[in-house]
Amino acid sequence: MTMMSAPTALVPATNRALGLGFTGNLGNLDAYISAVNRLPMLSHDEEISLARRLQEKNDLAAAQELVLSHLRLVVSIARGYLGYGLPHADLIQEGNIGLMKAVKRFDPDQGVRLVSYAMHWIKAEMHEYILKNWRLVKVATTKAQRKLFFNLRSHKTGLDAMTPPQIDALAKLLDVKREEVIEMETRLSGRDIALESSTDDDDDKFAPIAYLSSDQNEPTKVLEAEQVTRLQSEGLETALGKLDPRSRRIVEARWLANDDGSGATLHTLAAEFGVSAERIRQIESAALKKMKGALAAYI
């Protein structure tokens, strides 16, 4: 298979779609990733509208926009499976197939965002690809290992492990190190292990898939982290800017003065402003309510 056949097949021939398209062959994987990361993401309303056009009118242009806007999701998920030694481009290619399947089956009336729905299909295609290919890739990766791979079985006399003299003789015959013969025999005699548990109980957490994949680049977690950062900086500053000086002073003294959350007491601020503690509590409550409204735009 060609390394980037699926990704390049997904993109439009012109640069009209989504305001940014691809023209011809992107050249390499880095260029592809850079290009898909520049594609704009869809709002919830746009996503629903496109999904309904696809569902009701079989509008392929709508399907293309849904796929293009989620290509970055595939790239992000693929990074979590690089530990298997399989090409990043091939993982992306298989993930894109899963994304297209998800778009085809997506129901906009279920109340679920496409990003959440598509993750299952993308991972399913990647898992299938890994199950079919990772053991073969890992068995023989160097020239010496390939030489051993194709000669070891023919020189073994049975299913039992080779004896030290047999190992020494084979290493001399094939002109490889003794340790390499031992390692290859261990690999070939090892059994395949299911990536995912065959049961639905708590044993799932001990299946290899639970610790071989990384969730550090999980798209939903990345988006959540970015949203938190945005709230803590831009959103918080905007909300504080909508308060009068007294209200802002009270909120900052009560909630933002110390990292451990030990802010000023109501009585301390009451003495500062020459009012009752109850009045400080009322001002604080009104200020927090006003800030909540301002922060709604960042959630």
Side-chain angles (χ1 to χ4, degrees), residues 36-228:
V36 300
N37 284 334
R38 292 197 305 271
L39 288 171
M41 299 179 69
L42 299 174
S43 68
H44 192 190
D45 291 338
E46 289 173 334
E47 180 178 293
I48 292 175
S49 175
L50 290 169
R52 284 181 176 155
R53 279 169 49 190
L54 174 60
Q55 187 181 61
E56 298 170 4
K57 302 178 182 179
N58 195 29
D59 188 338
L60 297 183
Q64 184 184 57
E65 289 194 38
L66 289 169
V67 170
L68 286 172
S69 64
H70 288 78
L71 289 178
R72 70 180 69 195
L73 172 66
V74 177
V75 172
S76 181
I77 293 176
R79 291 195 188 101
Y81 296 98
L82 292 178
Y84 295 100
L86 299 172
H88 192 188
D90 287 351
L91 287 167
I92 292 174
Q93 177 173 271
E94 297 299 320
N96 284 344
I97 294 173
L99 173 59
M100 289 187 285
K101 289 182 177 180
V103 168
K104 181 179 180 180
R105 294 167 172 81
F106 181 60
D107 185 356
D109 296 321
Q110 291 297 317
V112 178
R113 290 298 299 267
L114 179 56
V115 64
S116 300
Y117 181 78
M119 285 174 61
H120 164 78
W121 292 94
I122 293 169
K123 288 183 176 181
E125 289 296 323
M126 290 184 185
H127 290 179
E128 183 68 16
Y129 172 69
I130 292 169
L131 286 169
K132 290 180 179 178
N133 294 278
W134 84 288
R135 179 172 168 81
L136 177 61
V137 173
K138 288 296 184 181
V139 165
T141 55
T142 67
K143 183 177 180 179
Q145 288 173 348
R146 289 193 293 270
K147 189 175 182 179
L148 277 171
F149 177 75
F150 289 110
N151 287 277
L152 184 59
R153 288 189 178 181
S154 62
H155 285 83
K156 289 188 66 171
T157 57
L159 298 177
D160 296 332
M162 297 179 68
T163 63
Q166 290 175 325
I167 291 173
D168 292 333
L170 184 58
K172 183 177 181 181
L173 176 65
L174 300 178
D175 192 22
V176 295
K177 295 180 181 179
R178 184 176 188 275
E179 293 76 13
E180 292 177 333
V181 176
I182 296 174
E183 180 184 1
M184 182 56 65
E185 185 189 24
T186 302
R187 290 185 180 187
L188 291 178
S189 61
R191 295 179 298 172
D192 289 329
I193 301 176
L195 285 174
E196 296 176 301
S197 173
S198 59
T199 63
D200 294 328
D201 54 25
D202 289 340
D203 289 340
D204 288 344
K205 67 181 67 175
F206 301 108
I209 198 66
Y211 53 82
L212 286 177
S213 61
S214 171
D215 62 354
Q216 293 181 351
N217 294 306
E218 196 74 51
T220 52
K221 293 189 176 181
V222 172
L223 291 174
E224 288 174 0
E226 291 177 351
Q227 189 177 62
V228 169

Side-chain angles (χ1 to χ4, degrees), residues 224-236:
E224 288 174 0
E226 291 177 351
Q227 189 177 62
V228 169
T229 301
R230 191 179 175 202
L231 277 170
Q232 290 176 340
S233 55
E234 178 185 349
L236 183 58

